[in-house]
């Protein structure tokens, strides 16, 4: 669900979220303790902000500590819903709409019902929907519950530079595609378009001689960029008019995106059928007919990328995650590169 307003016909995302955090001991004001089994991460595979939480949870091996509820790809103006589950009810929370968890804590909640959201299972109340710190907290506050071999996605020596890079990726790319798609005038669109492709050109240059955004290993910065790149040709190029170049026509970014897609945790969490369903069916102001395009062909995501020549170790001193749990696997029909074990075939 896209929250935003217009200022001089430019789309501006509403970034007012529930700022509670889950921390190691939960000792601070508006903090909750990191207790395994206490929270349910509610997501939708279609949403790029939720997709990053799915990826980080999987890379760190937090599946046993934080359960995951999956909403369907479409929603109405009221709420994301659990229409993929039997009887339309989340099997753990027992609710049909994510809004119910928001209302349980904040009756008459006045803002949009967004994913990802962490919900306290016992009380049924939403804890936070503040997606940016949520995944950083998965790395730093849940460390005791990471799997053996989990990568360090937010390494301390890189944090100052990482924060700068991630801020530019967010403002110019992650949110930049939305500024193009929801621009209210030609001038606002053209400004957003120019900013987006200036940033993509910067990323082409940055990644030309380094395998990942911060160097030799995958970090949260790569997770945040990947979720936009994974949707670029299927949605943003046409639906959001980000059409100077397709991802497949940007050689460095295309190779980088394929490298990540073929890495456990990335492509195996990507459901292109749900992604297209969400954008083309929900955004009727942009696509009044609700017709969902049949393409693009996804087989190119499995082709060799050649990024190994730059060196690097994807997981640093750690190891890749194992196959996803059967209940959390993307259907092969939704991603033809995903095998029966839930992993991407090369």
């Amino acid at each position: 669900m896209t929250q935003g307003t217009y200022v001089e016909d430019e789309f501006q995302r509403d970034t007012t979220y529930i700022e509670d955090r889950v921390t190691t001991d939960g000792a601070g004001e508006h903090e909750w303790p990191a207790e395994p089994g206490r929270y349910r991460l509610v997501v939708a595979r279609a949403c790029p902000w939720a997709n990053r939480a799915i990826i980080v949870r999987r890379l760190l091996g937090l599946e046993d500590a934080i359960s995951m509820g999956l909403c369907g790809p479409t929603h109405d103006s009221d709420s994301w819903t659990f229409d993929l589950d039997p009887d339309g009810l989340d099997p753990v929370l027992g609710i049909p709409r994510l809004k119910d968890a928001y209302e349980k804590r904040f009756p008459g909640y006045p803002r949009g019902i967004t994913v990802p959201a962490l919900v306290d299972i016992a009380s049924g109340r939403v804890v936070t929907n503040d997606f940016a710190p949520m995944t950083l907290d998965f790395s730093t506050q849940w460390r005791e519950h990471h799997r053996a071999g989990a990568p360090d996605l937010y390494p301390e020596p890189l944090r100052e530079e990482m924060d700068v890079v991630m801020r530019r990726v967010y403002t110019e790319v992650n949110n930049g595609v939305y500024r193009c798609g929801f621009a209210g005038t030609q001038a606002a669109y053209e400004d957003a378009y120019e900013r987006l492709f200036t940033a993509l050109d910067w990323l082409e240059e940055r990644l030309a001689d380094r395998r990942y955004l911060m160097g030799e290993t995958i970090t949260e910065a790569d997770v945040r960029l990947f979720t936009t790149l994974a949707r670029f040709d299927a949605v943003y190029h046409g639906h959001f008019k980000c059409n100077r170049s397709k991802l497949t026509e940007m050689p460095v970014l295309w190779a980088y995106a394929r490298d990540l897609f073929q890495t456990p945790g990335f492509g195996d969490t990507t459901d292109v059928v749900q992604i297209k369903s969400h954008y083309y069916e929900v955004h009727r102001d942009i696509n009044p007919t609700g017709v969902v395009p049949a393409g693009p062909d996804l087989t190119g995501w499995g082709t060799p990328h050649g990024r190994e020549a730059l060196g690097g170790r994807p997981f640093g001193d750690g190891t890749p995650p194992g196959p996803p749990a059967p209940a959390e696997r993307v259907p092969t029909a939704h991603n033809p590169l995903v095998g029966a074990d839930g992993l991407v075939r090369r």
Side-chain angles (χ1 to χ4, degrees), residues 36 56 95 197:
V56 170
I95 56 176
F197 282 100

Side-chain angles (χ1 to χ4, degrees), residues 40-44 69 71 78-82 90 93 95-104 112-119 124-126 128-129:
R40 188 153 176 84
L41 175 66
V42 178
V43 295
C71 296
D78 196 43
S79 181
W80 292 90
T81 59
F82 295 100
D90 179 86
L93 301 174
I95 56 176
R97 309 174 305 161
L98 179 56
K99 182 177 182 178
D100 296 336
Y102 280 72
E103 292 278 350
K104 190 77 177 286
I113 307 301
T114 63
V115 289
L118 274 177
V119 178
R125 298 183 301 160
V126 66
T128 183
N129 63 345

Side-chain angles (χ1 to χ4, degrees), residues 178-189:
Y178 283 83
R179 280 203 313 273
C180 289
F182 292 113
T185 64
Q186 187 70 32
Y189 162 71

Side-chain angles (χ1 to χ4, degrees), residues 163-174 198-199 202:
D163 290 344
V164 173
V165 170
M166 291 193 298
R167 180 64 185 171
R168 187 171 184 184
V169 167
Y170 169 73
T171 60
E172 307 305 296
V173 181
N174 299 149
T198 295
W202 163 69

Side-chain angles (χ1 to χ4, degrees), residues 4 30 37 63 66 97 141 199 203 225 236 257:
H30 303 299
E63 293 96 327
I66 307 171
R97 309 174 305 161
Q141 304 300 312
L203 289 165
L225 178 56
Y236 302 142

Side-chain angles (χ1 to χ4, degrees), residues 24 31 77 109 115 121 158 161 173-174 178 215 224-225 238 244 303 309 317 328:
T24 302
E31 291 185 2
S77 60
Y109 185 74
V115 289
I121 295 172
L158 299 178
E161 182 185 1
V173 181
N174 299 149
Y178 283 83
R224 294 184 179 196
L225 178 56
R244 189 199 74 179
T303 59
D317 294 329
E328 296 186 1

Side-chain angles (χ1 to χ4, degrees), residues 45 210 289:
R45 293 194 189 277
R210 65 181 81 195
T289 64

Side-chain angles (χ1 to χ4, degrees), residues 10 13 16 21 82 96 99 114 128 130 155 171 210-211 231 236 255 267 290 294 307 321-322 328 331 346:
E10 177 185 333
R13 182 174 296 278
T16 304
R21 294 176 56 205
F82 295 100
K99 182 177 182 178
T114 63
T128 183
D130 201 353
T171 60
R210 65 181 81 195
R211 190 163 178 187
R231 289 157 174 75
Y236 302 142
R307 298 282 292 178
E328 296 186 1
R346 303 193 190 192

